[in-house]
Amino acid sequence: QVQLVESGGGLVQAGGSLRLSCVASGFTFSGKAMGWFRRAPGKEREFVAAVSLSGIQLRYSDSVKGRFAISRDNAKRTVYLQMNSLKPEDTAVYYCAAGPTTTPTDFGSWGQGTQVTVSS
């Protein structure tokens, strides 16, 4: 079965950086687009970033564009999210996801999440 395991979350001061990782198993990793979503306290889950099968096509939400970078290593079955210039409003549980395309509504497999907390 599909398994997505996130890591790399933690507590960081505003302006700092974190790198999230997600290791996938149970499916053909190179055959799926991968993405990151987040859910802040009291809010709905929102799209953050996505990367195509080849790693060439990238998609970002406006709120993270220019600060976050998504990438993937198909040999390691891993997708990354480099987060720079973090803001308190980036505080959320971050989820890794897999889907057929980079369209946010296409993602249907989810990890359990990793907590990111940004202090002001």
Side-chain angles (χ1 to χ4, degrees):
Q1 69 278 18
V2 173
Q3 188 170 14
L4 301 169
V5 180
E6 303 96 335
S7 63
L11 174 63
V12 63
Q13 289 188 331
S17 298
L18 281 175
R19 188 193 197 201
L20 305 183
S21 299
C22 171
V23 179
S25 61
F27 63 99
T28 303
F29 183 76
S30 58
K32 293 283 189 183
M34 298 298 296
W36 288 94
F37 291 71
R38 67 187 181 187
R39 176 177 282 147
K43 296 187 177 181
E44 293 187 352
R45 185 171 58 198
E46 67 170 351
F47 169 76
V48 174
V51 58
S52 63
L53 282 63
S54 65
I56 294 176
Q57 294 180 338
L58 307 175
R59 186 192 294 249
Y60 296 97
S61 68
D62 288 342
S63 61
V64 307
K65 198 172 296 182
R67 299 188 298 122
F68 290 11
I70 189 171
S71 62
R72 65 188 296 161
D73 185 333
N74 286 348
K76 295 182 177 180
R77 303 178 61 85
T78 302
V79 61
Y80 305 97
L81 185 67
Q82 178 66 44
M83 306 187 295
N84 300 324
S85 302
L86 282 161
K87 305 175 181 180
E89 52 264 44
D90 293 318
T91 294
V93 177
Y94 283 71
Y95 299 91
C96 175
T101 77
T102 57
T103 300
T105 53
D106 282 351
F107 287 90
S109 299
W110 306 91
Q112 294 194 338
T114 184
Q115 176 71 48
V116 172
T117 303
V118 184
S119 63
S120 58

